[in-house]
Amino acid sequence: MRIGQLAQLVGVETQTIRFYEQQGLLPPPDRQDNGYRVYTEKHGEGLAFIRRCRILGLSLAEIHELQSYQDDPYQPCTAVNALLDDHISHVRSQITALQTLEKQLVSLRASCNDDREIEACGVLAGISEGNMHQQ
Amino acid sequence: MRIGQLAQLVGVETQTIRFYEQQGLLPPPDRQDNGYRVYTEKHGEGLAFIRRCRILGLSLAEIHELQSYQDDPYQPCTAVNALLDDHISHVRSQITALQTLEKQLVSLRASCNDDREIEACGVLAGISEGNMHQQ
DNA sequence: TAAAACTATAAAGCTACTATAAGGTCAATA
DNA sequence: TATTGACCTTATAGTAGCTTTATAGTTTTA
């Protein structure tokens, strides 16, 4: 399988595949005589794994960590679970931060309407005065 | 006021101030004979405005837009309100995306415990098999 | 006087790609 | 056969919003 086929199979751009190889997330494949990369099903599985991790919001460094665990199949998987727990708490703190932010934005927005001039704009005044009373 | 004092006043690093100047968000201040930047209170207010916008999650481009409105005080402020409305809906969609993600992560985490070996790890299996059933 | 603390510029690094440039390879067509 | 088009190669730059590093000049302090 050449790079374009693999890309289409997994739904990624070819540059992304080369990028993952360069970052050490995908093993360098064999090459044809003309230098073209030749991929196997294994590569397809590896690439799909990476993409699913990315969809779950894991960083490339975290994916690299998971891969290193996979290379050691008889170790306990506590580290994998810990990595996921960390990621979950990270996502949760992002959510609460954004919810706080949303409240601030909505209250700021409520301080103005469209019938004013810039000079009297409640939104701009609110930002300028800095009454954002955050924690 | 020199750059270090301004930085301490607003709670930013000096490089950040130079960066904002370079990006056209802060007007270039006067210079001493030795080349040192000299700031006024106006600069302090401008910098504080930028920081509050950043805390509200606005991009530098959006801040630039707000500044251009401020330079035109007798225009109606509909554009300001529209910018904020856009930003609010952006934040909201981020929140719902993260909430969906959290559910996926929690259910993935529930598929494993710490008493297994990597080989039997429910988390890794879950990612590999790709049963992430997202829309 | 010499070190510490401050300032200056320019350039690279960070994340996870995406885009662009310049070129080599291959199969099919005119 | 020449050439077109689709594919492949590498290398480099761009994205956002800074942060870090390098190198050097200036001011303050001990």
Side-chain angles (χ1 to χ4, degrees):
Chain A
M1 186 173 18
R2 295 193 316 199
I3 196 168
Q5 296 170 270
L6 177 63
Q8 197 168 17
L9 190 68
V10 182
V12 198
E13 306 244 1
T14 56
Q15 303 102 308
T16 305
I17 297 176
R18 294 193 197 97
F19 173 73
Y20 288 155
E21 178 185 334
Q22 184 199 321
Q23 298 296 305
L25 291 169
L26 266 183
D30 287 341
R31 300 283 186 130
Q32 291 178 353
D33 291 346
N34 56 17
Y36 288 14
R37 291 171 175 82
V38 186
Y39 291 100
T40 66
E41 277 194 18
K42 274 278 173 198
H43 288 99
E45 289 165 25
L47 181 55
F49 181 84
I50 295 171
R51 289 312 300 176
R52 287 193 214 101
C53 288
R54 291 293 300 132
I55 288 168
L56 292 173
L58 298 174
S59 69
L60 299 192
E62 288 169 323
I63 296 171
H64 206 83
E65 201 178 328
L66 287 183
Q67 289 177 333
S68 76
Y69 298 145
Q70 286 180 314
D71 294 339
D72 233 327
Y74 300 116
Q75 291 298 110
C77 72
T78 44
V80 173
N81 294 329
L83 191 155
L84 208 65
D85 286 337
D86 280 356
H87 189 58
I88 289 171
S89 67
H90 180 230
V91 168
R92 283 183 176 149
S93 65
Q94 269 186 282
I95 291 173
T96 57
L98 283 172
Q99 284 169 335
T100 303
L101 177 58
E102 190 207 344
K103 275 184 205 147
Q104 288 177 26
L105 289 168
V106 166
S107 108
L108 187 61
R109 179 61 179 86
S111 70
C112 196
N113 56 53
D114 286 355
D115 302 328
R116 306 191 192 173
E117 291 180 346
I118 293 281
E119 207 185 24
C121 173
V123 168
L124 286 177
I127 301 177
S128 293
E129 285 159 20
N131 32 351
M132 291 156 65
H133 49 69
Q134 33 171 70
Q135 49 107 357
Chain B
M1 184 171 20
R2 295 196 314 199
I3 197 168
Q5 296 170 270
L6 178 62
Q8 197 168 17
L9 190 68
V10 183
V12 199
E13 305 243 359
T14 55
Q15 302 101 307
T16 305
I17 296 175
R18 292 193 198 99
F19 172 74
Y20 287 154
E21 178 185 335
Q22 184 200 321
Q23 298 296 304
L25 292 169
L26 267 183
D30 288 339
R31 302 280 186 133
Q32 291 178 354
D33 291 345
N34 57 16
Y36 287 14
R37 291 170 176 83
V38 185
Y39 292 99
T40 66
E41 276 192 19
K42 274 278 174 200
H43 288 99
E45 288 165 25
L47 182 55
F49 180 84
I50 295 171
R51 289 313 299 177
R52 288 192 213 101
C53 288
R54 291 293 299 132
I55 287 168
L56 291 174
L58 298 174
S59 69
L60 299 191
E62 287 170 323
I63 296 171
H64 206 84
E65 202 179 327
L66 287 183
Q67 289 178 333
S68 77
Y69 297 144
Q70 285 180 315
D71 295 339
D72 233 329
Y74 300 115
Q75 292 296 111
C77 71
T78 44
V80 173
N81 295 329
L83 192 154
L84 208 64
D85 285 337
D86 280 356
H87 190 58
I88 288 171
S89 67
H90 179 231
V91 168
R92 283 182 177 150
S93 65
Q94 269 187 282
I95 290 172
T96 58
L98 284 172
Q99 284 169 337
T100 304
L101 178 58
E102 190 206 345
K103 275 184 206 145
Q104 287 177 28
L105 289 168
V106 167
S107 109
L108 187 60
R109 179 61 179 86
S111 71
C112 197
N113 56 53
D114 286 355
D115 302 328
R116 306 192 192 173
E117 291 181 345
I118 293 282
E119 207 185 24
C121 173
V123 167
L124 286 176
I127 302 176
S128 294
E129 284 158 23
N131 32 349
M132 291 156 65
H133 51 69
Q134 33 173 70
Q135 47 109 355

